[in-house]
Amino acid sequence: MKVRVRGEPHRIYACHCDFCQKRSGSTGAVSAWFASDQVLETTGDTKVFNGLETDRVGVAERGFGVSYYFCSTCGSTVFFTTEVTPGVHGFAVGSFVDPDFPPPTEEFWTELRHDWVAPIRDAAAYERFSGR
Ligand SMILES: [Zn+2]
């Protein structure tokens, strides 16, 4: 699948929660959030996975579920939407394969951050999730 956006994301954060570790198969995930009118195109087949069914702790903590759209060819999560933030799309920063992409300004669930993962310089750090 391919996505194209314009402009800068209005929010970028890293999440170390158990669900992001499991769904990404890594130590966490970095998300960049864009207004829907910044999303120019999404092409290719996606499947959607609703975190409501498996992310029970996160849903209880945040109070809402997240719909994860992943590429049906490679299996990577590409973007996400939530029911409480209509008009906003989150994208997996890795989808852009851009080493110059701006860094996260927030880190969530630092209590589950792997010990060898360094805190992100100048990012606000929260032991759990904070805000939307
Ligand atoms: Zn998470």
Side-chain angles (χ1 to χ4, degrees), residues 42-104:
T42 60
T43 56
D45 262 1
T46 56
K47 302 270 187 200
V48 65
F49 168 74
N50 190 333
L52 280 173
E53 288 134 22
T54 56
D55 182 21
R56 296 187 189 287
V57 173
V59 169
E61 186 81 18
R62 287 188 309 267
F64 58 91
V66 180
S67 295
Y68 298 92
Y69 291 81
F70 61 94
C71 174
S72 59
T73 302
C74 75
S76 275
T77 303
V78 180
F79 67 94
F80 5 94
T81 59
T82 78
E83 62 205 34
V84 298
T85 55
V88 177
H89 280 61
F91 286 87
V93 168
S95 296
F96 297 101
V97 193
D98 177 3
D100 295 324
F101 204 89

